Amino acid sequence: MTRKSAQLDEQLHEYLLEHGARPDPLQRELITDTERLWPDSAEMQISPEQAGLLTLLAKAIHARTAVEVGTFTGYSALAIARGLDKSGKLLCCDISTEYTDVARDFWHRAGMTERIELRIGPALSTLRDLEAEPKIDLSFIDADKTSYIAYWNEIVPRTRSGGFVVVDNVLAGGNVLAAEQDENAHAIHEFNRYVLRDHRVELTMLPISDGITLARRR
Ligand SMILES: C[S@@+](CC[C@H](N)C(=O)[O-])C[C@H]1O[C@@H](n2cnc3c(N)ncnc32)[C@H](O)[C@@H]1O
């Protein structure tokens, strides 16, 4: 038994999905549609185990107000929306109508249209337009990596005490170890160093998929 996190090969990942994070038929369809429509970009979508974590986390903290930065075809949004309290709302930020048209279709089919508002445009402008009060219960950051610190600095002050900020791709495909060779990895490495010094939150980094940081607002 090792204390280091397991590296999952294809077979072990299948086992994990089968026993702990099985997508339902609609989620499965969203995954396969995304792969069919954008085979080169489909890996941007979060994994089923991340989706399960987002849903459970939203439920655990009784989230009513949530924000997502980077929506793509709507899988992570669906996961968050499903975990919200009944009257909860999720605000989604993305620049692409092409990707998010697919998202809208699946949200509709999942009966989540009432819970999700999508704003098309640069996420930083959308976030800056939000009221300053710390009302957000849960956020998920998963868009352009070079803006992560800027997104963080808009979201953290608007997050209520006990609320969570979840950040995707914090291992940058392993490239954080040689970050100077890659602009995105460099941005992620700078982000990781930045949030570690941020006393407004307590956090842990988990090796799920490409790495996620879970931060709780003090
Ligand atoms: C990694 S994907 C998001 C994946 C999504 N969370 C999921 O699980 O399916 C990143 C998304 O960020 C969007 N994006 C990139 N730059 C952006 C910006 N400046 N403002 C808003 N969205 C942006 C892209 O259009 C893309 O849909």
Side-chain angles (χ1 to χ4, degrees):
M1 201 54 96
T2 172
R3 296 175 69 196
K4 192 163 109 2
S5 301
Q7 298 301 305
L8 303 185
D9 60 20
E10 207 63 34
Q11 212 181 348
L12 204 48
H13 189 236
E14 277 304 319
Y15 179 90
L16 179 146
L17 296 184
E18 195 58 31
H19 293 82
R22 194 186 305 183
D24 68 19
L26 190 72
Q27 290 172 321
R28 208 171 275 284
E29 195 181 328
L30 175 52
I31 292 167
T32 51
D33 274 14
T34 303
E35 282 166 355
R36 182 176 49 78
L37 290 166
W38 291 288
D40 296 335
S41 313
E43 64 169 24
M44 293 204 295
Q45 193 171 54
I46 61 162
S47 65
E49 61 269 32
Q50 284 180 295
L53 179 68
L54 288 170
T55 304
L56 281 184
L57 184 58
K59 287 188 180 179
I61 63 170
H62 301 286
R64 292 167 49 90
T65 303
V67 172
E68 174 176 87
V69 180
T71 294
F72 192 39
T73 54
Y75 186 32
S76 49
L78 198 52
I80 296 167
R82 281 182 165 170
L84 295 178
D85 272 9
K86 241 187 178 158
S87 58
K89 299 273 184 232
L90 167 65
L91 173 68
C92 287
C93 311
D94 206 289
I95 41 171
S96 165
T97 49
E98 205 186 355
Y99 293 150
T100 54
D101 279 351
V102 174
R104 284 186 198 275
D105 180 37
F106 276 86
W107 298 339
H108 176 69
R109 292 172 57 196
M112 290 291 148
T113 307
E114 292 297 306
R115 288 193 186 186
I116 304 176
E117 180 192 347
L118 172 66
R119 288 198 203 157
I120 297 294
L124 203 50
S125 314
T126 304
L127 294 174
R128 284 180 177 150
D129 285 346
L130 298 180
E131 55 181 309
E133 273 73 29
K135 286 190 177 162
I136 302 174
D137 299 303
L138 176 64
S139 300
F140 183 49
I141 301 178
D142 187 19
D144 50 318
K145 311 309 168 199
T146 49
S147 301
Y148 267 27
I149 291 178
Y151 296 146
W152 176 267
N153 281 328
E154 295 302 324
I155 286 172
V156 170
R158 293 178 169 88
T159 301
R160 61 134 167 119
S161 174
F164 276 77
V165 184
V166 182
V167 187
D168 199 17
N169 304 112
V170 294
L171 295 177
N175 292 332
V176 281
L177 294 178
E180 63 287 348
Q181 286 158 30
D182 175 318
E183 190 193 10
N184 282 340
H186 179 72
I188 291 286
H189 179 56
E190 290 302 311
F191 172 80
N192 290 337
R193 284 159 47 94
Y194 184 83
V195 299
L196 205 55
R197 294 193 300 266
D198 191 333
H199 296 294
R200 297 171 297 181
V201 299
E202 49 191 332
L203 60 82
T204 187
M205 191 188 281
L206 300 172
I208 302 176
S209 301
D210 189 24
I212 60 171
T213 287
L214 283 187
R216 180 183 180 275
R217 180 85 154 100
R218 291 183 197 276

